Amino acid sequence: MGSAEEDYNFVFKVVLIGESGVGKTNLLSRFTRNEFNHDSRTTIGVEFSTRTILVGDAVVKAQIWDTAGLERYRAITSAYYRGAVGALVVFDITKHQTYDVVDRWLKELYDHAEASIVVMLVGNKTDLAQAREVPMEEAKMFADNNGLLFVETSALDSTNVEEAFETILKEIFHKVQKQKQRSSQSNTVSLASESPTSTAPAQAERRPCCVAL
Amino acid sequence: PAALPPAPLGFTDVNLNSRNTYEVSRRRSAPEHLPHGGTAPAEPAPPPQEPAERARHRLGIAGAGSSFAEFFTRNFFTKRTKELKPAVQSAPGWKLFGKVPPRENLPKDSKIIQQEYEARTGRMYKPPPPSARRKNIEFEPLSTTALILEDRPANLPAKSVEEALRHRQEYDEMVAEAKKREIKEAHKRKKIMRERFKQEENIASAMVIWVNEILPNWEGMRATRRVRELWWQGLPPSVRGKVWSLAVGNELNITPELYEIFLSRAKERWKSFSETSSENDIEDAGASVADREASLELIKLDISRTFPSLYIFQKGGPYHDLLHSVLGAYTCYRPDVGYVQGMSFIAAVLILNLEEADAFIAFANLLNKPCQLAFFRVDHSMMLKYFAAFEVFFEENLPRLFLHFKSYSLTPDIYLIDWIFTLYSKSLPLDLACRVWDVFCRDGEEFLFRTGLGILRLYEDILLQMDFIHIAQFLTKLPEDITSEKLFSCIAAIQMQNSNKKWAQVFASLMKDNKEGDKNHSPAPKS
């Protein structure tokens, strides 16, 4: 662990949130290990995964925090939003209830994360099209109205999983680039908006360009 | 295979790795390269003696007058070449296998190439005599031994005496080495068997002691040194459930009848829940009704995600309904707590060791312990106290690792939440988790945190090399090969003593300066 493959220019902390059972853990395992597990175990607290991708010619390491979806755990898990530069708010297109509460998840997120966080709404389980309860147009409109990226995925058959993560990572990357330009104009190079120890600790790793928005 | 030219020089680096079969057959289908040597990505035409010699030696092929290539086409690749034949004849075969980059002067019929080649080497392809062919077909290189013992191909010059001797010696050494390994492995197996036997004997004798001596005099003996020591060794599975029940106790005075009542209530609720759709919830009570419904939904969802690898709690599995019942009854018994994720693992472990009603009784009483209640109610400030107490002993026992974690602001909630919520049943192998439960029943909550420190100690050296994300990943997904001997010796080495204060005292004093604010001790990343 922690070896030469760890050559990256940026570390982006991204959180996965949403109701229990919408498939957060499988989305993540599909993206980071190309695995899907019909009986994945309940996530309790938080689990972690990483994957390094190329954005332009920058090497970006996504550090993804997969949080438990249980309502009761939110007191704990919301603390994990701090320092995140991206969030995937996941719902299950076959369960309207998981979409109805997206609002609450967003509020929770904005209460605890930085305002500039890039958020993507993800409708998962498109492989179960015949059981769809949330029309795509509806979710898309909601996303547009709330300034969220939007994509529908299937962790089971891999549809759009790669795209979802890549899109959000690119978006974060561009945001960071813009911010960097701005800060270099004003001649204050601030890589983190807060002191590096109080924000996501992972972003303060050896590398020079770890970023918080 | 008349269309295939013999290409002896092309096979020099062939060995018997199955992976190479494709390689070779690919080359076989692209024999055009061989006469031209050099530029092709396949190996350059080698000096005929050296490597070819080695390959033949390795293969120990009985050439018996036939060419080397003939051997290959006949034995290894008969089928393959048959398939390829038409293609080879109609077009440059290697074109079919896009991996070989094309060369300039391509369009050459393989036959022409063959003729060119034959003209150059002065050899004509002749089918080998049928007898030799049969011999080759019969020869199947199943093991290296067979290969080495095979006579040297007759069409090759004899080995020099020196070389032959060396090869013989090398061969003997290999055999001796293999034998030595075998003996060593047999010893190891025997040792494992002996240990297992001894273990079984220990369990059997321990069981007798538990059944005949301890259980009948439970209250008098449970705290004795001898019993406590025996307890540490692990409870025999046959008395495990019983001892857990006794140790957890039944402060709540739950009877099997009471369980039945709550179970039937739960069943009623499921029925009405499935009858009425989610449309008709009353606005006022909406939240709590929805919560309860979500609770029931959640149980259903979680049961299939509890020990999925055991295949006994999943739908259709033998314990699916049981787990459903115990959890459902509990949400009726304790609506103030309800169902919280993590509970399904605890109930499942109990069901594996106890009868249904006893499992429920132990479950309800276990969750009524202060630590469990704090966690399952997700009483955040109490949880922070537990984490803070844990950190006191962490620093005391593993100061280097403690500082290392601190330097990354890696707080214990990241790994402890999962460990404590499920009492390690999700994070450790089940048999090991049961051993942790054994001593947890003996020592109480303190042992849960001691186990956590034991795990950190076990992997201290590895963890010290890791950064934040790797530590977090490692601890939330522990290695599966963790053994009880190693873990328990690490746990044993953890001192639950901090400047003469024990766990309970440390915890109590943390509770006291609660009012002064928990800024200093807040371990969650929420400063």
Side-chain angles (χ1 to χ4, degrees):
Chain A
M1 315 224 160
S3 58
E5 50 118 12
E6 309 265 295
D7 241 358
Y8 42 78
N9 309 112
F10 295 92
V11 184
F12 292 158
K13 172 176 169 180
V14 174
V15 290
L16 268 173
I17 62 177
E19 290 293 282
S20 208
V22 297
K24 297 181 290 296
T25 302
N26 269 320
L27 272 176
L28 184 55
S29 65
R30 178 60 83 195
F31 176 61
T32 57
R33 300 192 302 277
N34 199 18
E35 281 174 17
F36 181 90
N37 196 341
H38 274 281
D39 291 308
S40 70
R41 298 182 306 174
T42 314
T43 305
I44 290 165
V46 59
E47 290 174 13
F48 303 85
S49 236
T50 60
R51 194 178 138 184
T52 303
I53 68 160
L54 216 58
V55 178
D57 47 11
V59 183
V60 167
K61 181 173 180 179
Q63 182 188 96
I64 303 156
W65 295 43
D66 174 22
T67 63
L70 183 65
E71 159 100 39
R72 199 88 66 92
Y73 283 161
R74 279 192 215 174
I76 309 165
T77 51
S78 59
Y80 298 139
Y81 305 163
R82 274 178 66 88
V85 290
L88 298 177
V89 183
V90 188
F91 68 94
D92 175 352
I93 62 153
T94 71
K95 287 207 178 90
H96 210 284
Q97 180 269 333
T98 64
Y99 172 72
D100 294 336
V101 293
V102 162
D103 247 340
R104 247 154 72 196
W105 281 108
L106 287 174
K107 189 184 173 309
E108 194 82 14
L109 186 63
Y110 292 128
D111 280 352
H112 293 89
E114 282 72 34
S116 54
I117 187 170
V118 178
V119 184
M120 176 182 256
L121 182 64
V122 180
N124 191 32
K125 305 198 187 178
T126 54
D127 50 283
L128 300 173
Q130 71 288 352
R132 181 189 279 275
E133 284 183 9
V134 184
M136 181 159 113
E137 300 71 36
E138 191 186 335
K140 174 89 179 80
M141 197 139 81
F142 177 87
D144 288 345
N145 292 338
N146 288 276
L148 315 175
L149 301 166
F150 174 70
V151 72
E152 284 196 342
T153 59
S154 164
L156 186 139
D157 65 23
S158 305
T159 308
N160 279 344
V161 176
E162 196 83 12
E163 289 81 348
F165 283 98
E166 269 174 18
T167 307
I168 194 168
L169 292 172
K170 273 183 195 151
E171 185 69 22
I172 297 166
F173 179 75
H174 293 314
K175 220 165 177 172
V176 166
Q177 291 300 94
K178 259 188 242 159
Q179 204 187 27
K180 241 175 149 185
Q181 279 169 10
R182 246 180 289 136
S183 62
S184 65
Q185 274 162 11
S186 64
N187 212 10
T188 52
V189 184
S190 73
L191 291 175
S193 55
E194 292 168 54
S195 79
T197 43
S198 71
T199 46
Q203 300 198 354
E205 290 171 74
R206 297 159 290 189
R207 292 285 140 183
C209 308
C210 304
V211 197
L213 291 173
Chain B
L4 293 164
L9 302 182
F11 294 104
T12 46
D13 71 340
V14 171
N15 59 34
L16 289 179
N17 289 341
S18 57
R19 213 149 49 91
N20 280 23
T21 316
Y22 168 73
E23 271 292 307
V24 172
S25 57
R26 196 179 54 131
R27 279 182 218 136
R28 199 70 202 89
S29 71
E32 296 89 329
H33 294 309
L34 299 168
H36 304 285
T39 51
E43 70 288 341
Q49 270 313 329
E50 262 293 293
E53 167 69 14
R54 225 185 307 134
R56 286 195 196 94
H57 172 68
R58 207 171 345 165
L59 292 161
I61 290 157
S66 143
S67 80
F68 197 48
E70 176 63 11
F71 168 79
F72 273 97
T73 51
R74 293 272 148 212
N75 291 285
F76 287 93
F77 311 114
T78 328
K79 203 174 158 218
R80 190 103 177 113
T81 42
K82 239 186 237 159
E83 282 166 16
L84 293 170
K85 206 162 78 177
V88 169
Q89 279 169 334
S90 62
W94 46 270
K95 246 190 173 172
L96 295 172
F97 300 87
K99 288 195 174 165
V100 184
R103 289 201 345 241
E104 248 84 297
N105 54 345
L106 280 182
K108 237 184 210 180
D109 188 73
S110 54
K111 263 192 177 151
I112 300 171
I113 295 167
Q114 183 188 338
Q115 283 158 13
E116 279 179 9
Y117 175 68
E118 280 168 3
R120 193 181 310 174
T121 55
R123 279 164 72 177
M124 288 297 285
Y125 176 75
K126 271 183 229 124
S131 64
R133 207 185 289 179
R134 199 175 313 121
K135 190 182 175 196
N136 275 347
I137 290 163
E138 278 161 9
F139 172 67
E140 279 215 304
L142 287 178
S143 75
T144 45
T145 313
L147 285 171
I148 289 162
L149 288 180
E150 193 73 26
D151 284 337
R152 186 173 173 80
N155 60 337
L156 298 177
K159 285 182 199 173
S160 70
V161 180
E162 218 175 48
E163 197 187 10
L165 267 175
R166 200 181 69 234
H167 288 154
R168 169 52 63 180
Q169 195 190 342
E170 280 168 2
Y171 170 69
D172 286 343
E173 276 166 13
M174 275 158 68
V175 170
E177 193 56 43
K179 259 190 197 146
K180 229 174 25 195
R181 247 200 324 271
E182 236 164 71
I183 290 170
K184 218 167 142 188
E185 255 152 44
H187 271 301
K188 221 160 123 194
R189 268 200 304 277
K190 239 188 220 161
K191 203 179 151 201
I192 291 171
M193 286 297 283
R194 258 205 312 274
E195 268 165 19
R196 199 171 293 164
F197 187 70
K198 207 174 132 197
Q199 235 172 7
E200 271 164 26
E201 247 181 4
N202 282 348
I203 291 172
S205 66
M207 195 188 72
V208 172
I209 299 172
W210 280 100
V211 172
N212 294 341
E213 295 179 45
I214 304 169
L215 288 178
N217 309 297
W218 176 248
E219 285 308 325
M221 285 184 79
R222 65 180 291 181
T224 61
R225 198 197 163 99
R226 178 169 162 247
V227 171
R228 285 177 64 83
E229 266 166 20
L230 201 61
W231 204 332
W232 176 272
Q233 309 295 321
L235 297 170
S238 56
V239 299
R240 181 166 265 155
K242 182 80 195 149
V243 175
W244 286 359
S245 276
L246 285 167
V248 170
N250 188 1
E251 257 188 337
L252 300 167
N253 288 317
I254 301 170
T255 59
E257 292 72 33
L258 198 65
Y259 167 65
E260 289 301 328
I261 292 169
F262 285 115
L263 178 57
S264 59
R265 228 180 262 178
K267 281 180 175 161
E268 261 166 50
R269 197 183 284 173
W270 290 328
K271 233 168 77 189
S272 70
F273 174 60
S274 57
E275 276 162 10
T276 58
S277 63
S278 52
E279 309 287 321
N280 60 348
D281 38 331
I282 315 127
E283 279 304 308
D284 307 309
S288 69
V289 168
D291 274 0
R292 231 172 291 145
E293 283 174 0
S295 219
L296 291 175
E297 271 284 293
L298 207 58
I299 292 175
K300 245 201 292 181
L301 176 72
D302 267 4
I303 285 177
S304 64
R305 304 198 290 180
T306 306
F307 297 123
S309 53
L310 294 181
Y311 297 112
I312 52 177
F313 296 106
Q314 281 60 50
K315 211 166 176 111
Y319 288 169
H320 172 269
D321 294 347
L322 251 167
L323 184 54
H324 207 215
S325 298
V326 169
L327 293 172
Y330 184 77
T331 57
C332 290
Y333 172 69
R334 287 300 291 266
D336 61 320
V337 181
Y339 173 74
V340 183
Q341 287 182 330
M343 283 184 181
S344 64
F345 284 89
I346 297 181
V349 173
L350 289 169
I351 284 168
L352 290 172
N353 287 282
L354 285 162
E355 291 298 316
E356 183 173 354
D358 292 330
F360 177 79
I361 295 167
F363 183 69
N365 280 285
L366 195 60
L367 296 198
N368 202 44
K369 308 246 171 231
C371 176
Q372 275 58 50
L373 213 51
F375 274 75
F376 281 110
R377 280 186 164 153
V378 196
D379 181 340
H380 205 190
S381 68
M382 275 291 274
M383 286 167 72
L384 291 179
K385 295 281 167 256
Y386 279 104
F387 299 146
F390 173 82
E391 287 205 298
V392 169
F393 292 94
F394 186 2
E395 186 170 17
E396 177 84 27
N397 282 278
L398 305 163
R400 270 183 75 207
L401 193 63
F402 179 79
L403 283 178
H404 184 64
F405 279 26
K406 267 266 144 76
S407 72
Y408 286 116
S409 307
L410 195 140
T411 50
D413 52 291
I414 281 178
Y415 46 93
L416 274 185
I417 282 176
D418 180 89
W419 294 353
I420 303 296
F421 264 104
T422 63
L423 306 177
Y424 295 95
S425 56
K426 186 172 160 255
S427 26
L428 293 178
L430 192 55
D431 56 332
L432 190 44
C434 283
R435 281 206 55 193
V436 170
W437 280 42
D438 290 345
V439 190
F440 164 58
C441 287
R442 189 192 81 170
D443 293 0
E445 65 187 33
E446 164 184 337
F447 190 72
L448 295 178
F449 297 94
R450 192 177 178 195
T451 301
L453 292 172
I455 293 172
L456 295 182
R457 188 190 161 98
L458 176 59
Y459 295 114
E460 183 176 18
D461 293 342
I462 305 172
L463 292 167
L464 279 169
Q465 307 301 317
M466 292 182 181
D467 60 9
F468 174 88
I469 190 68
H470 289 106
I471 298 169
Q473 272 181 286
F474 186 90
L475 292 179
T476 50
K477 200 165 193 273
L478 292 172
E480 279 161 25
D481 58 0
I482 182 168
T483 67
S484 56
E485 291 77 28
K486 279 191 190 139
L487 178 60
F488 270 78
S489 70
C490 283
I491 298 174
I494 296 293
Q495 295 301 315
M496 292 306 267
Q497 192 103 327
N498 173 260
S499 53
N500 286 331
K501 279 208 248 165
K502 296 193 163 164
W503 169 267
Q505 292 162 303
V506 168
F507 187 73
S509 69
L510 282 165
M511 290 297 284
K512 235 190 271 163
D513 46 53
N514 194 5
K515 288 137 208 160
E516 288 143 47
D518 38 303
K519 284 157 219 138
N520 300 333
H521 281 293
S522 170
K526 203 186 177 182
S527 48

